Amino acid sequence: MNYMTFKFLKHNQEKEGKLAKLLLNAVWDENVANARKLIHRGADPNWIYNGYPLLLHAVFTRNEEMVMMLIEEGAVQTSEALGFALDRGIGEMVFPLAFMGIVPKAAAAQEYFGPYPSRFAPLDMNYPILLG
């Protein structure tokens, strides 16, 4: 790999990381319009943060509009989202997902991520941020 290819790939990876973090913030701030704009600019609605896909973060915030927008824009972890809502007692998210014909699947995150999505990563843990 030559130097220019390396610089191009590094720039794209940095851009994707910034977009993904902005999308995570939009999900937690429940700003659907901003989240949609970020996805249209290249952010991935399947990005995983702190062991949980963005869709599960949206389910955890109980924002039905955000959940439906992420699914509409390509988030694929719908079975896990319904399983997460059922398992965690997030009843207001169960009906909209079940109404779509989604079959629940247990949402599994590694134990050290904790039982719920978190907006911020613990500073004392050293693990990679995963891009979907």
Side-chain angles (χ1 to χ4, degrees), residues 21 24-25 28 47-51 57 112-113 117-130:
K21 288 177 186 177
L24 175 73
N25 286 332
W28 278 93
W47 186 57
I48 296 173
Y49 191 80
N50 281 349
H57 286 264
Y112 54 83
F113 287 117
S118 175
R119 184 176 193 167
F120 304 104
L123 297 177
D124 60 343
M125 294 193 72
N126 185 18
Y127 55 88
I129 295 174
L130 306 173

Side-chain angles (χ1 to χ4, degrees), residues 28-39:
W28 278 93
D29 292 340
E30 301 185 40
N31 188 334
V32 177
N34 193 32
R36 188 181 301 271
K37 284 180 191 175
L38 289 164
I39 291 169

Side-chain angles (χ1 to χ4, degrees), residues 48-85:
I48 296 173
Y49 191 80
N50 281 349
Y52 293 92
L54 279 173
L55 185 58
L56 273 62
H57 286 264
V59 167
F60 187 66
T61 65
R62 294 161 170 80
N63 185 320
E64 182 180 344
E65 184 182 3
M66 180 69 74
V67 169
M68 295 304 147
M69 185 278 297
L70 288 171
I71 292 170
E72 178 183 308
E73 294 293 341
V76 297
Q77 306 90 351
T78 55
S79 293
E80 291 86 350
L82 179 53
F84 180 81

Side-chain angles (χ1 to χ4, degrees), residues 80-131:
E80 291 86 350
L82 179 53
F84 180 81
L86 287 166
D87 186 52
R88 302 319 195 275
I90 305 172
E92 57 265 52
M93 298 309 309
V94 171
F95 180 75
L97 293 168
F99 187 74
M100 296 175 70
I102 297 169
V103 176
K105 177 181 175 185
Q110 294 179 354
E111 189 175 311
Y112 54 83
F113 287 117
Y116 299 101
S118 175
R119 184 176 193 167
F120 304 104
L123 297 177
D124 60 343
M125 294 193 72
N126 185 18
Y127 55 88
I129 295 174
L130 306 173
L131 297 176

